[in-house]
Amino acid sequence: MRHTRAGRLVTAGLTVLFLAATSCAPLPATGPRLATGDDPRSNGGTGTDDSGPPERPEWLAPESEPEWVNCGDRGISGIPDTVTARCGLAGQSPSIRLSSTATPDDAAPLVVVAGPETPASELAPRLVSSGTELVDSRPLVVVDHRGRTDAAGACLTFAARRTLDGLADAGADPGSPELRGELADASQSCTDELQGRELDYGAVGAAQDLEVLRQHWDVPGLAILGIGAGAQTALAYSSTHPDRLSVLALDSPAPDDGDQEGTARAALAGSDAALRLWASSCTRPECGPGDADQKVEAVSAALDRAQEPLADIPAALLSDVVRSALGDLSGASAPEPSGGDIILGDLIAAGPGETPESVRGRAETLSRSSLPYVAGCSDLSQRVPVSRVDELEAEWADTPPFGEILAAQLSACSTWPVPAPMPLQVPPTVPILLLAGIADPVAGAAYLEPTAGRLTAAGATEVRTVSWGAPGSAVMLHSGCAREAVTTFLDDPAAAEKSTACPS
């Protein structure tokens, strides 16, 4: 038997970064309402008549601009001297406009969509500090996920965070009345704040802000780059406004079909593969001591210890820390280690009972915002029944170190409102570029071809691919080859290579 949850030094237990992709399943507790006409998914849907596919709109420079102001104290650091950052709003979403001294004045902007797990203020500097190829060609407008700065970003109470953080603790029973009640209280802490607007913060709601931006610009269509979970918003825009999409690029897209069990299985396979590939390939001193098997065993042991009472960082949150680090790996050819390399190496080097500052810092970062919980739950239309959670815990216990923990997290959104499904629609005239590594802790392992097939099945006829020979996510933040491929594609989609392989 497992033990009950106890106090923590790190009590902010959101399971933030990957909850959107690997948790939120229903228990028959207070009965989540089924979304009806007030679901923003029912408000889009242009291009559903029988007149044939919409003609691809031109990608043009804006006729007018929103009000862009100095970003002030919003914490945007790490911008190169040659790049200027200005802040504004796209609908309800904070946005950052980036341009460099080389950016043409008449260039059409690229909309870069951040996911709920990555604030625009963090993504923007990384886009230009990793290389200025893209911003030298055109302005970049980095659009945050809706809810970052309103109630959706701060609605989870202290007790709610502890409940979500304790889902993988020894002794936690997903079917127990006690846990069901605590989960109901956790969701209510946000539903009380959001007052019937819960589903506004899913991908379709966030896509509405992109349309507001297009209308403000007064342009025929948008060119969109979705990164990670931001790709869900980009695809939601494609489905709800297919006649307003000019060009689409997707970097490490998270699963978007609302199937919770399928999403969790992809996350399990991707996390396991990414950890083992990283352990065998990263020989930097920062990656910690030992051979590949010893590195994996050290991470597994740390997660096992985190399931016990009085653990400094509980298992659900520590798993999210590890998996977020696995999404931020530098690759073998990079001159410097990434933040993910350092976090994993520090965890491996630490002794029992020690919590490295890098690990603690990432845990605190993941626990700051409620938005990944709110947005992630609002995108799951096919939930795992409570009886299935126990079955998956038993089945995935044979896939350490993540299997049992990911299964336990499936009950996190059990009392959240259930959205209506959103069929994916991709206009056949729109060129698409898809980028992926060989193992992603959210999207899965070897997912490039299946994802390209899903896009084709949804209507796409031009899917070009960029594969990165390394584990991790957000390929263009780590690979100069990938950034060059994106830049070439945007300059002339028809002339871009159909398939590009970038070295690790």
Side-chain angles (χ1 to χ4, degrees):
M1 285 292 291
R2 295 177 174 181
H3 305 286
T4 56
R5 290 180 298 279
R8 316 286 184 193
L9 283 177
V10 179
T11 54
L14 174 58
T15 69
V16 170
L17 183 61
F18 293 107
L19 186 58
T22 62
S23 44
C24 311
L27 299 170
T30 59
R33 66 176 173 83
L34 182 66
T36 54
D38 58 346
D39 182 352
R41 294 168 181 257
S42 63
N43 295 335
T46 61
T48 57
D49 57 30
D50 297 325
S51 59
E55 183 177 347
R56 181 163 76 98
E58 290 185 276
W59 180 21
L60 301 176
E63 293 293 325
S64 61
E65 287 281 3
E67 182 181 2
W68 300 108
V69 299
N70 290 329
C71 295
D73 60 354
R74 300 191 190 185
I76 302 173
S77 59
I79 301 287
D81 292 340
T82 59
V83 176
T84 299
R86 305 273 285 173
C87 289
L89 284 175
Q92 301 176 33
S93 299
S95 302
I96 301 170
R97 186 184 188 276
L98 301 169
S99 61
S100 78
T101 53
T103 306
D105 291 337
D106 59 350
L110 174 68
V111 178
V112 183
V113 185
E117 79 289 355
T118 307
S121 59
E122 293 180 11
L123 179 58
R126 294 201 63 182
L127 277 170
V128 291
S129 62
S130 59
T132 60
E133 303 95 324
L134 205 56
V135 73
D136 286 345
S137 301
R138 57 192 51 80
L140 307 180
V141 176
V142 186
V143 179
D144 212 329
H145 195 89
R146 174 184 285 193
R148 180 74 61 196
T149 56
D150 66 20
C155 57
L156 284 171
T157 64
F158 176 84
R161 290 178 183 273
R162 290 192 59 174
T163 295
L164 296 173
D165 231 9
L167 288 174
D169 281 5
D173 177 3
S176 70
E178 177 190 15
L179 182 55
R180 290 168 59 189
E182 290 173 352
L183 287 169
D185 290 342
S187 64
Q188 189 172 356
S189 69
C190 283
T191 57
D192 284 351
E193 291 282 337
L194 300 178
Q195 296 291 315
R197 297 180 294 115
E198 300 93 340
L199 297 179
D200 289 355
Y201 297 95
V204 174
Q208 292 177 349
D209 290 335
L210 303 185
E211 177 61 8
V212 171
L213 179 62
R214 185 200 66 79
Q215 292 174 357
H216 200 122
W217 277 340
D218 192 20
V219 293
L222 298 178
I224 300 176
L225 165 63
I227 300 179
Q232 292 179 293
T233 300
L235 290 171
Y237 188 82
S238 172
S239 298
T240 56
H241 298 88
D243 55 345
R244 297 303 185 188
L245 185 63
S246 299
V247 181
L248 179 62
L250 304 170
D251 184 349
S252 311
D256 65 284
D257 60 1
D259 179 357
Q260 186 181 23
E261 183 172 333
T263 295
R265 286 185 179 277
L268 176 55
S271 299
D272 184 70
L275 175 60
R276 296 177 191 281
L277 287 167
W278 172 84
S280 64
S281 63
C282 190
T283 58
R284 306 174 192 272
E286 293 86 356
C287 294
D291 61 21
D293 290 341
Q294 290 170 324
K295 286 182 170 70
V296 173
E297 177 55 35
V299 172
S300 298
L303 289 169
D304 285 344
R305 290 192 297 269
Q307 296 185 48
E308 297 303 320
L310 302 179
D312 191 2
I313 300 177
L317 181 55
L318 184 60
S319 173
D320 286 343
V321 168
V322 172
R323 296 179 60 235
S324 73
L326 289 170
D328 183 21
L329 303 177
S330 60
S333 62
E336 300 291 338
S338 69
D341 295 319
I342 293 170
I343 288 171
L344 293 170
D346 288 350
L347 183 64
I348 288 166
E354 297 178 357
T355 303
E357 285 303 314
S358 61
V359 174
R360 189 186 304 278
R362 181 61 63 91
E364 291 172 352
T365 297
L366 299 186
S367 299
R368 284 182 190 143
S369 176
S370 306
L371 183 59
Y373 168 78
V374 172
C377 296
S378 297
D379 281 326
L380 290 175
S381 56
Q382 301 176 55
R383 305 277 178 86
V384 176
V386 61
S387 59
R388 182 69 175 146
V389 175
D390 268 335
E391 295 173 3
L392 291 175
E393 280 198 69
E395 177 185 340
W396 294 354
D398 295 330
T399 312
F402 303 108
E404 196 171 7
I405 296 173
L406 288 178
Q409 289 177 288
L410 286 169
S411 59
C413 298
S414 57
T415 54
W416 197 259
V418 181
M422 168 58 69
L424 177 61
Q425 180 181 174
V426 180
T429 56
V430 173
I432 298 176
L433 182 67
L434 175 62
L435 301 91
I438 56 177
D440 186 302
V442 175
Y447 64 99
L448 181 67
E449 293 304 324
T451 305
R454 172 167 163 74
L455 294 170
T456 300
T461 57
E462 295 184 60
V463 181
R464 288 166 168 77
T465 61
V466 176
S467 60
W468 183 43
S473 189
V475 174
M476 61 179 300
L477 300 185
H478 301 99
S479 169
C481 165
R483 290 192 296 275
E484 182 179 352
V486 173
T487 303
T488 300
F489 169 76
L490 294 174
D491 286 343
D492 186 356
E497 295 288 339
K498 290 191 177 298
S499 178
T500 302
C502 291
S504 64

